[in-house]
Amino acid sequence: MISVKNLSKTFRDKLPEFTVLRDVNCEISKGEVISIIGPSGTGKSTFLRCINRLETPTSGQIFIDGEDILSPKADLPRLRRKMGMVFQSFNLFNHLSIMQNLCVGPVKLLGMNRTDAEQQGLRLLQMVGLANKADSMPDVLSGGQKQRVAIARCLAMKPEIILFDEPTSALDPTMVHEVLTVMKRLADDGMTMAIVTHEMDFARQVSSRVFFMYDGIVYEDNTPDVIFEHPTRPATQRFINRLRNLDFNIESKDYDFLSMEGQIRAFLANYQVGMPRIIQTLRLVQLLTDRLLPFTGPVDLTIDYSERNKNIYMQVVQHNYSEPILNRDDSANAALAEFHSCCEKITDEQQDDARLLRIKTNVVS
Ligand code: ADP
Ligand code: MG
């Protein structure tokens, strides 16, 4: 239904120029529910706004039902009518009653007669649980109610796809659920939807696919299970596991290891990691730096803490070395044995001229 090819968008109105979308490629089929997640500033809103041409892409192609909406010949008003958009900030017409909000589009743009539009409006208000508010003005409604009206108003235009841009981000936490429930109902009814959201549980439940946007592209496009349970690419893993990291570049054995220990301690304590695990992490670092690493060249050390599953990971790159460091059969080496006993998982592999170690530490208490 929607096919996006090599879409790019560079903002040139302000200097310096800023490329938000570098090369976006994706397909959305009829009936799919796509959640779009990713750190802020990665172009999720810009992407939705390009799809319905609120924004003009710099290059690339967007096909809606096979029609290129970027072509000068495209019938934009008709193409836009196929797409509804729900914004973070509702955008209701505040001088019109709820019912008038639901009728103005169908009457003016679709040529529906007033009675039919009102009947439809009432049916839609029932669907979003607000039939008793038909004659109210928007400003007496709560945020969650306004957003449900905005969804009903969108449906009144009989769109083929609805684009949602963080529909619950501006709401009080107590009102998020009522809006998500309405959206879930739409998904169950087979509505095609693309939803930019930070509600991960919701995304996981309703989506057929999830796009993780990062660095101006759809960086990972996968099923919710893969994205949320075992994402395949590094930036997705960092985002999903809410990894906080601390990096060190150790040039030689003369490095200030005492200062490094202090920083690791403070970093983990900051995330309420308990003392036994802090001590274990420091011990692992000490075994590495005192006993196990050959220091044939600089060492890059990263400590990762996952706020999601509370795991502590380490990544070590020993440059100019090509022998196993941890995965060696060296049972006489007490340091190696102690190291292994503190880790749940270790990989030790070659990467160009360096040895790359990835470690998941044991949970101790
Ligand atoms: P997201 O929705 O993922 O947070 P956005 O698409 O809103 O990201 O924006 C991505 C980046 O593009 C942001 O850094 C934002 O400042 C910039 N940006 C958005 N709109 C404009 C604009 N009209 N002019 C210049 N920069 C913009
Ligand atoms: Mg946004």
Side-chain angles (χ1 to χ4, degrees), residues 40-41 43-46 88 165-166 196 198:
S40 45
K44 303 180 298 296
S45 298
T46 306
Q88 192 172 324
D165 193 359
E166 298 199 32
V196 173
H198 292 288

Side-chain angles (χ1 to χ4, degrees), residues 32-313:
E32 274 201 292
V33 177
I34 305 287
S35 291
I36 302 170
I37 62 171
S40 45
T42 45
K44 303 180 298 296
S45 298
T46 306
F47 173 54
L48 287 192
R49 294 165 60 84
C50 284
I51 292 183
N52 72 0
R53 287 295 308 272
L54 286 173
E55 206 76 75
T56 305
T58 308
S59 65
Q61 293 170 300
I62 300 175
F63 297 95
I64 311 275
D65 293 331
E67 221 175 313
D68 185 355
I69 66 165
L70 304 185
S71 133
K73 285 176 287 181
D75 178 356
L76 270 190
R78 191 176 53 80
L79 283 165
R80 278 209 187 107
R81 249 177 269 136
K82 294 187 177 194
M83 294 179 264
M85 181 130 182
V86 175
F87 301 89
Q88 192 172 324
S89 51
F90 329 128
N91 297 5
L92 296 180
F93 305 119
N94 284 319
H95 60 291
L96 299 180
S97 74
I98 300 306
M99 183 53 88
Q100 286 166 329
N101 262 278
L102 295 196
C103 291
V104 58
V107 169
K108 290 213 168 128
L109 299 171
L110 302 182
M112 204 184 268
N113 75 48
R114 184 109 221 148
T115 323
D116 290 350
E118 284 184 3
Q119 257 170 25
Q120 169 182 267
L122 193 61
R123 191 172 50 73
L124 290 170
L125 285 178
Q126 279 162 352
M127 186 194 139
V128 301
L130 291 169
N132 62 345
K133 299 289 188 210
D135 299 322
S136 305
M137 296 303 280
D139 58 10
V140 305
L141 302 190
S142 73
Q145 291 173 326
K146 280 184 194 167
Q147 194 61 299
R148 285 185 279 151
V149 172
I151 294 172
R153 186 181 58 175
C154 194
L155 291 169
M157 296 298 290
K158 307 188 197 308
E160 291 178 25
I161 179 169
I162 307 185
L163 312 173
F164 293 86
D165 193 359
E166 298 199 32
T168 59
S169 295
L171 300 177
D172 259 20
T174 53
M175 296 170 187
V176 168
H177 184 74
E178 64 197 52
V179 173
L180 294 182
T181 304
V182 166
M183 291 170 65
K184 178 148 195 326
R185 216 171 278 166
L186 290 182
D188 292 342
D189 288 349
M191 176 57 85
T192 313
M193 303 166 41
I195 310 165
V196 173
T197 185
H198 292 288
E199 297 290 335
M200 298 298 166
D201 292 337
F202 172 76
R204 192 165 172 174
Q205 271 180 28
V206 304
S207 319
S208 52
R209 271 187 302 151
V210 179
F211 295 170
F212 174 67
M213 286 195 67
Y214 183 74
D215 197 21
I217 59 173
V218 175
Y219 177 90
E220 185 161 349
D221 164 357
N222 235 320
T223 62
D225 260 12
V226 172
I227 293 274
F228 292 110
E229 284 315 305
H230 29 87
T232 63
R233 305 197 60 199
T236 323
Q237 290 164 354
R238 283 199 301 275
F239 181 79
I240 292 297
N241 292 316
R242 286 184 286 144
L243 285 188
R244 307 297 162 199
N245 60 325
L246 183 65
D247 291 315
F248 300 97
N249 303 104
I250 306 169
E251 313 86 45
S252 73
K253 253 194 130 69
D254 295 331
Y255 189 75
D256 184 353
F257 290 110
L258 278 180
S259 151
M260 180 174 88
E261 280 189 22
Q263 290 177 61
I264 295 172
R265 223 177 248 280
F267 166 76
L268 293 175
N270 190 31
Y271 295 107
Q272 275 76 48
V273 175
M275 204 33 94
R277 300 187 73 194
I278 295 181
I279 290 169
Q280 182 194 54
T281 307
L282 292 173
R283 178 66 183 153
L284 286 168
V285 170
Q286 199 180 42
L287 287 167
L288 281 168
T289 54
D290 283 1
R291 313 283 297 281
L292 297 170
L293 291 174
F295 285 100
T296 45
V299 171
D300 304 323
L301 169 69
T302 304
I303 311 281
D304 283 314
Y305 175 67
S306 166
E307 286 197 278
R308 185 185 187 210
N309 53 30
K310 318 286 181 213
N311 286 324
I312 299 170
Y313 307 87

